[in-house]
Amino acid sequence: MREPNFILEQKHSDHAEAMEIRSTNMEKKELLTEIEMRAIDHEVSLVPYKKAAVIEALKIVQKQRRWISDASIDAIANYLEMSAAEVDSVATFYNLIFRKPVGKHVILLCDSISCYVMGYGKIYQALQRQLNIQFGQTTKDDLFTLLPNVCLGCCDHAPAMMIDEDLFEDVKEDQLEKILETYK
Amino acid sequence: MEQPLTKNIITGKTLSLKEYEQAGGYAALRKVLKNNAPQEVQQMVKDSGLKGRGGAGFSTGIKWSFVPMDEDARHPKYLICNADEMEPGTFKDRLLLEGNPHQLLEGMILAAYAIKADISYVFLRWAYRKAAEIMEKSISDAYAAGYLGKNILGTGWNLEMYLHTGVGRYICGEETALLNALEGKRATPRAKPPFPQVSGLYGKPTIVNNVETLCCLPHIINNGAAWFKSLSASEDSGTKLYGVSGKVKRPGVWELPLGTTMREIIEEYAGGMANGYRLKGVLPGGASTDFLTEQHLDIKMDYASVAAAGSRLGTGTMIIMDDATCPIGFVHNLQHFFAQESCGWCTPCREGLPWVEKILLGLEKGKGSTEDIELLQMHTQYLGPGNTYCALAPGAMEPLQSALKYFKDDFVEHIEKHKCPYEV
Amino acid sequence: MFIHIDNKTYTVKAGKNLLEACLTLDLDLPYFCWHPAMGSVGACRQCAVKVYKDENDMKGRLVMSCMETVTEGLRLSIEDKTAKAFREQVIEWLMTNHPHDCPVCDEGGACHLQDMTVMTGHDYRRYNYKKRTYTNQYLGPLINHEMNRCIQCYRCVRYYRDYAGGDDLNVFAAHNHVYFGREKDGVLQSPFSGNLSEVCPTGVFTDKTLKEHYTRKWDLTMAPSVCNHCSVGCNTIAAERYGQLRCMLNRYNGDVNGYFLCDRGRFGYEFVNSENRIKQALIRSRTNEAATESEIMEHVQSLISMSKVVGIGSPRASLESNFALMQLVGKENFYQGISEDEAHLNRLVVEMLRSGCVHSVSLKEIEQADAVLIIGEDIWNTAPMMALAVRQAVVKTAASQASQEIKIPVWLDSAIKELAQEEKGFLATLTIATSPIDDIATHSWHAAPDDLARLGFAIASYLQPGKIVNTDFSEALLDKAKKIGDALKKAKNPVVITGTSCYNDNVIKAAFDVAVALNTGERKTSFSCVMTECNSMGLAMMGSPSFSVANENIKTNGHATAVILENDVYKHIPSANADEFFNSCDHVIVLDALHNATTEKAQVLLPAATFADGDGTLVNNEGRAQRFFQVIPNTTSQVQESWRWLKKLQTLKLHTLNGHALHPDDLLREMETALPQFEGITNVSPKHDFTIHGEKIPREPHRYSGRTAILANKNVSEPKPFNDGDSPLSFTMEGYKGTPPSGVVPFFWSPGWNSVQSVNKYQEETNGALRGGNPGLQLFKNKSDARDLFFNDVPESFVVAKDRWLLLPKYDALGSGELSSYTAALKTLSPQPFASMSTGSLQALNAKDGDMLQIVDAGIMYGSLPVKADENVCDGVVLVTAGLRESMGMSWGTRVQIKK
Ligand SMILES: Cc1cc2nc3c(=O)[nH]c(=O)nc-3n(C[C@H](O)[C@H](O)[C@H](O)COP(=O)(O)O)c2cc1C
Ligand code: SF4
Ligand code: FES
């Protein structure tokens, strides 16, 4: 497996027993859903080459499946006529493409400078206590994954965090319980 | 005091197309499309003295002038709005995106016209979900109103516009890395030359401008270069969105004449330091600018003055370091960010920044030595401009080198006491 | 133009970058991400120098030398303190995570990273934190992976993906976690993967087959060699230790293979060490079959003086050996050891190239072509390095056009790629089935050989209307012809490639006609015809009749003794015919290196040398004669070059030359006289007595170790080094230390440059010729009295016949070689034998995918093969995996029956 980092740029390494064959057309089993394909088709229509839509395709598939599995990589690769390596090269570069499973809700806690000054550390500690997980981990009930994130662009309301697509500003420790409750 | 960019913005509200038009929106576009050739628009912007608000402060008009404009120039040409805003401590573009989207769109359409672009993109960072919704809607409204698409306002000129939301990575804000990201590739920066103006997105002529830069354009067209110059309180033209974050009474962002003093911004607009805190240092324009200190409070916040004080205006959003915050911890946080966000392409950045981060962590925990200081100094020298592939690492070195200068005592104290004196 | 480096003035060539300029001037400047074949990307920051505005500028500016173009009067400094310190610092950074495992690293001693570390003077570690570590991947049997050693120069991905077009290796993750490998563990899919071991500047990607019998580079005995595996003739370095061939390395030849080899060439060497080698002369049906040299000579002598003797030559034996056989048996009794069908095609190719109507193209020239047309040959599989050259042509044409537009130098690699994007130069592939090279083709069309030929003639006819008489082409065909013709017309340096593997002379004639029709005025057209074996061209040029003729002769006249030279007859003709031949012979004498079906038939068997244990000359498909040299010293076994056996026999027969040494030089001189088409062949390399300052050229580097101990188990006093006497090379570490003549460079090494990167010290300029000119001699000189040659043989369209299937070979880049099949690693990768047919054909046969089919040809039954449906095979054709035991002797290109 590649060097452990946060789960963002990682994936499971299944060390599949590799067959000693050289072939160009390996059969790909995993398929994209109709919804995914239609959305990807639209993105493809806007770019000069199919593969230029790969980031959009990753976003589309992640939206449907929470994260990008090896099988999803293969499916996207197949659909965009790319190799799995090429898709994964892009997928593992960007930190918001999840190459390992994440919980139902992803908490992105800003750990950049303004939030640092304004005490994101306390929020992190509180989250650790309440969820019993650290950065890069997912709660046992698969509900929350906690990740650090770079500046969310609301430094005048630090500390800040995002849960899925919702932004929380001026976060106080004692509000956390209530906030988390709404996602349960 | 005129605040052309923000005057119609009401916190928490978004100006609709209709409201924007009622406030005089899209008049500049109508005027230009009717009366001016693209090169004339370029000239107006050049005359206005507008400098890029994305951080580097390069003249917008001159930047445009490198785009090939002759008949056989390669098409499609692209105009890209850089709305990646991921520099820590920076939160100015968000206000413009969420508050007055059509001002930005009009600016983009004007810029696209000036370089005869065929396709334009808004490259928006992922975290700006609300802005994404707003932009999505505004773009479709602009299409419906005939400001975008085929035969714009009956002139026969076509412009398509798309919104692209990113999937993370600060480096995407670097304009050439941004191009790779838009092409669906790893966002490593590109070699310059060739500059994007000649070989940009998909190898075609391309201009990348910051949100704030583009928002200035309708006003320049409407009111002229002289007016734009007159807005400023310094050599530079126009207003600037200044922001303050950290332990001040009223953190926020304000549009003020370029060249307003740092003291005025911090003390009057941000209400001064929060109770019980003293100002120890300021990063005047985002995480990748040099520290300034109390002694600099009276400098004008314009490109030249901040440079003369040994820093950069950058994005104009200040981060305040108070006296209760450990400068080593502060700089360590910044270096952690930069090390994490290095794209991994060039050696000094990829290998140097993690080393710096580790040294700072050691120092912060009281495990440092004087050799560590030398190593940090070495890095500030060798990760300087020109030594790395892009400006990320040199930017990272700015707060470090100035911290070593202004907060040397803190470093020494950490080493001598074998612990962090700020720890309670 | 002039530039000033550290206040000295030098003349350099315009257009180069500063790094290239410095290296060409023999100045040492460290680098990693730059590669001469792949250009500059500016990633590693290792090649930093100072550049000054003018002589008054004392401060200067640090720049990456690989990214700056030389300009007139430019002032730069390599020695500047800051520049030096920065370069040292870059190494320190790269070393922060490097495991320093040189003692157990396969690259150690030939490592660019080691060299550059020493060059910059970095020697003290200041980073004392934990190193980053990675897990390695299984990448197949050829390449080993050790990621912790990576210094992130990105060369591997740039080579594998951008240069060679592979898509299963890439870079993953970001910042200091970047990882180079596959998406999952698994076999690297590119047949050019072996070059990773030379492209990687450290020990991340190494030769796994070398690991099986590892030797440090400095402990290898090395000799210049030529690849035996296809007709392209790439230059290699063969490397030996303890009497075993240990590995093959690239040997730069600016006209042929440049910096790279294909995997068949690099890894297919192991047959030399095979158990199956013939080491002992045998006289069969004696109580004691093993014979001494004098016994065997006497025995053979008596056999050949008893009856008429015929000599069967070989397309994989050297010119020397073929000629020695011809001398022994007499010109009229010498036959090419190949079928009449193949000999006919080869004769045609010789005639074409000899006519001088078109230019016989080198690989280097193919790389520079601006349009390529391939008719009838799957070069990806039959001549892999030619496919790699075509890929460069296609990718670089677009790039160089683009770079002219915005005036950026072609070596500015990433900028060029970003500019050119997916744009490609023109390539049309007209072949019988799909090939991986189709991926980069503008047009691909798959049809039966006669139809391919018809399209070829149609193109020629479109290019020069009226030249072809018989033109009943369909509209559809004319439309294709027009499209391709128009693109070719636009080119300045078009290349037409064809080959013999369709077993169809019309295909070759059509390709030739296109080339001739294109060759007008400003345009210089080049032509290339791929052949089957490493010396097919040399043998064909000798102009002898085919094996089929020999067979007929023996059948009618009887009572002959056959001397068979390094040739498995069963490979070329149906086994029944071969059996018949052997039955008609009184005696069969075989010289070969490996046991095979023919050696089974030998009453007398002589152990022949391979390319590794002997010297010889091969002629590649271009007509380039190239010399290879012995690398395994032979002190004990009877193994010797076939030409030496044959020459000794001739001596016995003629009772001349007694006691005189035999040199290939003498043999070649006689050959020049007897066969004037080989004029100049004696000059392919320096003569055997060539020395520099009285010194021979050592096959061993001066760092060679253990010499005194190597044979200590046998004798404690060090034996005298083996002396082959045939070449200017010696089997020692002593000798001339400077740069040898380009044809006899046994290894690349220069002080401070222990890795393959040292090749830059041997070149006249970056990517240029080796100093003194690239080795090899082009035998087809375009004569001024060029004879007009043009063919008018447009065949009828191919007709599908239900009971008469057209049988054609399907080659595989790794698995179709007789010799590479002895390499365990390659064998695991080579395909299982199968037949492929279109679904339509299968329906007509009432068969389905996976069924076992039997091929029947003129009453001869071949073994059963599973059949695969392949939409890209045209109706009426059956493709069968070639080069495997199951398909030996099939009469390719004929119509056969198929039974379920
Ligand atoms: C590491 C890095 C990150 C950057 N991020 C941004 C960004 O988020 N937004 C932006 O407008 N410019 C950013 N820039 C500056 C851009 O490269 C570019 O100069 C700018 O978008 C040009 O616009 P302007 O001329 O309007 O200022 C960044 C530069 C660097 C080196
Ligand atoms: S794997 Fe080798 S070639 Fe690739 S970047 Fe690392 S050191 Fe360079
Ligand atoms: S940030 Fe990636 S190389 Fe500079």
Side-chain angles (χ1 to χ4, degrees), chain C residues 840-851:
Chain C
S841 300
L842 285 181
Q843 267 163 12
L845 272 172
N846 220 346
K848 59 178 193 312
D849 202 89
D851 280 357

Side-chain angles (χ1 to χ4, degrees), chain B residues 51-60 63 82-87 92-93 170-176 178 192 208-211 213-214 338 390-392:
Chain B
K51 285 184 181 168
R53 307 296 197 228
F58 191 75
S59 156
T60 305
K63 181 167 173 174
N82 189 343
D84 197 49
E85 192 159 68
M86 233 189 277
E87 173 98 356
K92 65 181 184 73
D93 295 341
Y170 165 63
I171 192 66
C172 292
E174 199 282 337
E175 60 180 0
T176 57
L178 182 153
K192 289 179 257 187
V208 181
N209 274 133
N210 172 256
V211 172
T213 315
L214 292 163
F338 287 116
C390 80
L392 182 141

